[in-house]
Amino acid sequence: MNITLRQLRVFSAVARHLSFTRAAEELCLTQPAVSMQVKQLESQLDVSLFEHLGKKIYLTEMGREVYHYSRSVLQQLDELQGVLNSLKGLGKGKLKISVASTANYFIPVLLAGFCQRYPGVTVSLDVTNRETLLTQLAENEVDMVVMGQPPDDMDLGADPFMENPLVIVAPPEHPLAKDKKIPLQRLEQEVFLVREPGSGTRIAMERFFAQHDVHITTGMEVGSNEAIKQSVQAGLGLGLLSRDTVEMELALGRLVILNVSEFPIMRYWYVVHRQGKRLSMVAQTFKDYLLQESPSLLGKGEQKLPQARIREAHSA
Ligand code: PGA
C-alpha cells in the first residue's frame, strides 16, 4: 500500500462534507485536484470509496472503513504535532475544541481572550449538540469539549468551571410574568417549546419534570436556542433555556424569566476530554485558563461549583 497523507486528508474532507466542492473550499484546492487525490487513493487501495446517486455522493462500505482509519491516523498526527510543540516549548500550536450549542453564547469571548494571550495558537471550533459532542469524544476527534454534565458511561475526565442555570422564559405580556413562586404544577397548563433530541438542555428539562412528577405539554420541537427564543417571543409557548442564552433579550425586555419554585435548575459547564488523553501543551493551557478565569472574564459573580463531577446517563 503506497498511500499518502495528502490523499487521506483530502479524502477525509470529502467524506466529512459528502461533497467534493465543499472539501475543495475547505482545503483551498480546485475541485479537479480534490477528485484526482481521491482517484489516486482509490487506485492505490483498489476499492471504490464513494458512490454517486443522483446529485449526491455516499461513502461505500469500504469508504466508511477507510474514513474511520484515516480520521484516527490524522488525529494521531495532530496529537504528535502538539506533543512535539510542547517539548520544543513553542508558543504556538493548534487547539481543536467542540462546544455544546448553548456554550456558544460565551465561548467566543473566552477564546478571544485566550488567542490574544497566545497569538501563535490556531483554534478550530465546532458548535454542535450534546449527542454529537459525545461521538466526537468517543472517536477522539477533538482535544476537548465544553458541555453540560458529562455522562457516566464513558471514560472521561471532566472538570466543572462555571454555573449553568436553566430558566423558564416567557414574553413580558404572559399572564404569569409578574407572579411570584409559581407552583411547579401550574406549568401543566402551559405549552413548552423543546429543543431537538440529543440536546443537553432538553435532557435536563425532561429529567427535571419527570423527577418532580410534572406532566408538561410540549408544543413545537425547535432545533436551536435562537429559534426557541424567537418562538417564545411570538407567543408560541414557554421556553426552558440556559440563562446564558437569554441575556440580551432580558436586557431589551423582550423576554422575562418566570419566578417558578424549584427554579432555576442548576447545571454546570464542564471541560471534558477522554480519560488518559495526552493533552498537548496548548490544550492543557486552554483547560487551565477555562478553569481559573472564565467566571471573572465573563463578569460572573462568585460561583458555587460541585467538588466532584456530577454524572448523568448518556441516553437518559
Ligand atoms: P445543548 O447542551 O446545547 O446540547 O442543549 C447544553 C448542555 O449540555 O447543557
Side-chain angles (χ1 to χ4, degrees):
M1 204 192 299
N2 198 9
I3 62 179
T4 66
L5 287 173
R6 183 172 166 79
Q7 288 163 356
L8 285 187
R9 278 198 203 285
V10 172
F11 161 70
S12 286
V14 179
R16 186 157 21 87
H17 293 295
L18 287 177
S19 157
F20 283 83
T21 316
R22 285 172 61 194
E25 276 164 20
E26 178 188 306
L27 299 167
C28 298
L29 292 173
T30 62
Q31 199 178 320
V34 169
S35 305
M36 176 61 73
Q37 292 292 325
V38 172
K39 270 208 188 78
Q40 285 171 351
L41 183 61
E42 287 183 320
S43 115
Q44 284 296 334
L45 299 173
D46 197 19
V47 295
S48 291
L49 297 169
F50 295 102
E51 57 189 349
H52 299 254
L53 291 177
K55 285 192 180 154
K56 290 195 166 174
I57 59 164
Y58 299 87
L59 281 165
T60 59
E61 192 184 342
M62 302 222 200
R64 280 199 294 277
E65 285 298 323
V66 176
Y67 184 38
H68 172 77
Y69 282 98
S70 57
R71 272 191 307 182
S72 92
V73 168
L74 297 172
Q75 173 71 29
Q76 290 277 309
L77 279 176
D78 281 350
E79 222 169 290
L80 171 63
Q81 184 65 62
V83 171
L84 293 182
N85 283 347
S86 326
L87 291 175
K88 289 190 215 155
L90 292 180
K92 62 181 183 184
K94 205 167 157 193
L95 176 68
K96 201 167 175 200
I97 59 168
S98 266
V99 305
S101 30
T102 302
N104 192 33
Y105 288 82
F106 60 82
I107 279 290
V109 174
L110 296 177
L111 278 175
F114 186 74
C115 291
Q116 241 167 28
R117 200 176 292 180
Y118 303 99
V121 173
T122 34
V123 180
S124 142
L125 169 69
D126 189 16
V127 180
T128 183
N129 77 15
R130 174 186 175 88
E131 194 168 284
T132 312
L133 293 177
L134 294 176
T135 311
Q136 290 174 334
L137 281 172
E139 306 265 336
N140 200 20
E141 284 176 3
V142 286
D143 291 319
M144 61 186 75
V145 309
V146 171
M147 65 188 303
Q149 274 93 327
D152 221 358
D153 48 3
M154 283 175 76
D155 206 8
L156 301 173
D159 295 278
F161 65 91
M162 209 166 63
E163 291 174 347
N164 175 23
L166 303 187
V167 295
I168 297 182
V169 289
E173 60 280 3
H174 192 279
L176 296 176
K178 297 209 163 60
D179 288 11
K180 297 264 176 290
K181 287 210 182 312
I182 302 162
L184 267 183
Q185 303 300 332
R186 170 65 182 79
L187 298 178
E188 294 186 345
Q189 297 169 34
E190 299 293 323
V191 173
F192 277 82
L193 306 167
V194 289
R195 283 277 306 277
E196 77 286 3
S199 144
T201 310
R202 173 159 168 177
I203 293 169
M205 167 180 181
E206 289 174 348
R207 177 176 297 116
F208 175 85
F209 285 132
Q211 276 166 356
H212 290 81
D213 201 24
V214 175
H215 304 276
I216 55 157
T217 305
T218 53
M220 232 161 60
E221 187 175 289
V222 189
S224 74
N225 293 310
E226 280 307 307
I228 293 220
K229 289 189 290 184
Q230 296 294 336
S231 309
V232 173
Q233 284 176 51
L236 288 171
L238 298 180
L240 193 152
L241 295 170
S242 164
R243 198 182 194 288
D244 288 325
T245 66
V246 288
E247 297 293 353
M248 194 174 78
E249 288 74 11
L250 295 175
L252 294 174
R254 293 185 183 154
L255 290 174
V256 292
I257 293 180
L258 294 188
N259 184 333
V260 181
S261 20
E262 311 287 343
F263 270 82
I265 303 173
M266 189 49 85
R267 268 162 83 77
Y268 301 91
W269 287 114
Y270 287 78
V271 53
V272 182
H273 52 79
R274 281 173 53 148
Q275 192 70 270
K277 182 174 172 69
R278 197 161 160 193
L279 291 182
S280 67
M281 191 156 97
V282 171
Q284 184 63 50
T285 309
F286 183 66
K287 179 177 169 178
D288 295 342
Y289 166 84
L290 278 187
L291 295 180
Q292 284 153 27
E293 304 190 31
S294 1
S296 63
L297 283 169
L298 294 168
K300 308 239 178 199
E302 204 180 311
Q303 305 273 298
K304 286 197 203 88
L305 299 176
Q307 287 300 309
R309 89 185 210 185
I310 299 171
R311 286 162 173 250
E312 66 188 25
H314 186 156
S315 53

